[in-house]
C-alpha cells in the first residue's frame, strides 16, 4: 500500500467518524433540548470519537516523511499537531472524566493554552519565506502584548476571572494566525495547492473557534441563549475536522512518493 492510499484510508475513517458524531450531536440535541446536564451525559461517544479524529489526523501529519516540503516545515507542522492533540486530550477526555469533574474548568483553560502554542507554531510556519528561514515573526508581538495587558488588568482587579485573560490572549493568537494564513498564497513560498490548503484550513479553524466562543455564552436550561450556545457547539467540529485535514494535507508535496 503506497503512502497516498494509506493517507486516503485514514481520511475515509475520519470522515466516517465525523459523520457519526455529527449525527449523534444533533440526535442528542433533539432528545435533550438545551439541558446542559443531559447533553453532557449523552456526549461520551462524541467526545471519544472527536479525540480519535484528532489522533488519526495527527498520524497523517506524522506520515509525511520524505513527502514533506522541507524538514523545517514538517517539524513546525508536526509540533503543531502534537500540541493540538494535547489540547483535545484536555478538552475531550480529561474535561469529561467523572472523577475529575471538579477540575474540568482547569482542563478547559489548559486546553486553550495548548491551542495558543498551536497558533504560535502555525504563525512561525506560515510566515516562513525559505527552507532555512528561522526568523521571529513580528506579528507575534500582538498576542504577547494582549497577554501582558490582560494579565495586568486581572492583577489590578479590573476583572476577577483569569478565564477572560486566557480567552482574550487566545483570540489574539487566533486572529494573527488567520491574517498570516490568508497572506500565504501571495507570498509564493508554499506551492499553490499547499498555500490554498493552509488558507482554507485556517479560515475553517477560525470559524470553529467562533463557534466555540458562542458556545461558551451559556445560560439557564431551555433559554434562548443556551439553545444558541448548544447549536454553536454542534458546529464546532463541523469546521474543526476539515480544518485539521487541510492543515495536515498542506504539509505533503503535491506529487506524493511511495
Amino acid at each position: 500500500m503506497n503512502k497516498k492510499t494509506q493517507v486516503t484510508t485514514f481520511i475515509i475513517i475520519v470522515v466516517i467518524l465525523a459523520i457519526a458524531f455529527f449525527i449523534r450531536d444533533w440526535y442528542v440535541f433533539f432528545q435533550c433540548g438545551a439541558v446542559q446536564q443531559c447533553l453532557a451525559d449523552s456526549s461520551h461517544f462524541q467526545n471519544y470519537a472527536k479525540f480519535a479524529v484528532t489522533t488519526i489526523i495527527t498520524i497523517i501529519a506524522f506520515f509525511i516523511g520524505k513527502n514533506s516540503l522541507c524538514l523545517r516545515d514538517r517539524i513546525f507542522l508536526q509540533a503543531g499537531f502534537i500540541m493540538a492533540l494535547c489540547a483535545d486530550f484536555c478538552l475531550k477526555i480529561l474535561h469529561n472524566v467523572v472523577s475529575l469533574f471538579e477540575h474540568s474548568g482547569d482542563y478547559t483553560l489548559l486546553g486553550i493554552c495548548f491551542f495558543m502554542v498551536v497558533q504560535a507554531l502555525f504563525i512561525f510556519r506560515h510566515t516562513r519565506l525559505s527552507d532555512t528561514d528561522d526568523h521571529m515573526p513580528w506579528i507575534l508581538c500582538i498576542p504577547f502584548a494582549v497577554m501582558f495587558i490582560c494579565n495586568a488588568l486581572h492583577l489590578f482587579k479590573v476583572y476577577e476571572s483569569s478565564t477572560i485573560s486566557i480567552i482574550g490572549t487566545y483570540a489574539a493568537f487566533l486572529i494573527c494566525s488567520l491574517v498570516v494564513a490568508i497572506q500565504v498564497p501571495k507570498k509564493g513560498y508554499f506551492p499553490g495547492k499547499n498555500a490554498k490548503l493552509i488558507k482554507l484550513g485556517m479560515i475553517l479553524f477560525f470559524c470553529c473557534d467562533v463557534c466555540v466562543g458562542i458556545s461558551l455564552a451559556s445560560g439557564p436550561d431551555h433559554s434562548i441563549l443556551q439553545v444558541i450556545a448548544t447549536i454553536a457547539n454542534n458546529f464546532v467540529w463541523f469546521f474543526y475536522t476539515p480544518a485539521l485535514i487541510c492543515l495536515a494535507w498542506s504539509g505533503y508535496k503535491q506529487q506524493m512518493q511511495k
Side-chain angles (χ1 to χ4, degrees), residues 125-140:
R125 181 192 181 218
H126 300 154
T127 53
R128 295 173 66 249
L129 297 175
S130 73
D131 292 352
T132 58
D133 186 2
D134 288 323
H135 75 287
M136 173 69 74
W138 69 265
I139 200 169
L140 276 176

Side-chain angles (χ1 to χ4, degrees), residues 27 38 56 101 105 122 137 157 164 170 185 203 209 217 224 232 256:
Y27 172 78
C38 180
I56 294 169
F101 270 175
F122 285 163
K157 307 296 183 182
I164 296 174
Y170 176 68
I203 289 172
D209 282 329
I224 294 296
M256 192 179 295

Side-chain angles (χ1 to χ4, degrees), residues 24-226:
R24 174 67 181 171
D25 275 338
W26 286 103
Y27 172 78
V28 168
F29 173 66
F30 286 115
Q31 289 291 112
C32 294
V35 179
Q36 297 181 57
Q37 190 59 53
C38 180
L39 291 167
D41 292 341
S42 305
S43 297
H44 298 299
F45 166 77
Q46 298 95 299
N47 291 329
Y48 287 109
K50 289 170 182 176
F51 181 70
V53 162
T54 306
T55 302
I56 294 169
I57 301 176
T58 300
I59 291 171
I60 291 173
F62 273 83
F63 258 49
I64 294 175
K66 61 184 179 182
N67 296 290
S68 63
L69 300 175
C70 72
L71 178 60
R72 279 182 171 83
D73 185 69
R74 190 180 79 194
I75 290 172
F76 278 118
L77 182 65
Q78 291 174 344
F81 269 91
I82 286 292
M83 292 296 101
L85 189 65
C86 292
D88 284 334
F89 182 71
C90 293
L91 296 171
K92 291 297 161 189
I93 305 300
L94 295 178
H95 177 83
N96 295 289
V97 174
V98 175
S99 60
L100 299 176
F101 270 175
E102 62 180 307
H103 304 294
S104 61
D106 296 330
Y107 290 124
T108 297
L109 296 181
L110 180 59
I112 296 172
C113 290
F114 275 121
F115 272 125
M116 288 184 201
V117 181
V118 171
Q119 299 302 344
L121 287 166
F122 285 163
I123 289 171
F124 268 100
R125 181 192 181 218
H126 300 154
T127 53
R128 295 173 66 249
L129 297 175
S130 73
D131 292 352
T132 58
D133 186 2
D134 288 323
H135 75 287
M136 173 69 74
W138 69 265
I139 200 169
L140 276 176
C141 296
I142 296 174
F144 282 111
V146 171
M147 180 188 297
F148 176 81
I149 293 169
C150 287
N151 285 323
L153 292 174
H154 177 57
L155 181 65
F156 288 106
K157 307 296 183 182
V158 174
Y159 52 80
E160 293 296 326
S161 176
S162 61
T163 304
I164 296 174
S165 296
I166 293 174
I167 292 176
T169 302
Y170 176 68
F173 272 105
L174 178 66
I175 293 169
C176 290
S177 188
L178 176 65
V179 169
V180 165
I182 289 173
Q183 295 174 345
V184 166
K186 300 176 184 177
K187 293 188 174 179
Y189 166 65
F190 288 92
K193 182 178 178 181
N194 301 75
K196 289 177 182 176
L197 285 168
I198 289 169
K199 180 178 178 179
L200 177 59
M202 284 311 306
I203 289 172
L204 290 168
F205 211 127
F206 180 80
C207 292
C208 152
D209 282 329
V210 168
C211 289
V212 171
I214 296 171
S215 72
L216 293 175
S218 58
D221 290 342
H222 302 299
S223 66
I224 294 296
L225 186 60
Q226 182 59 37

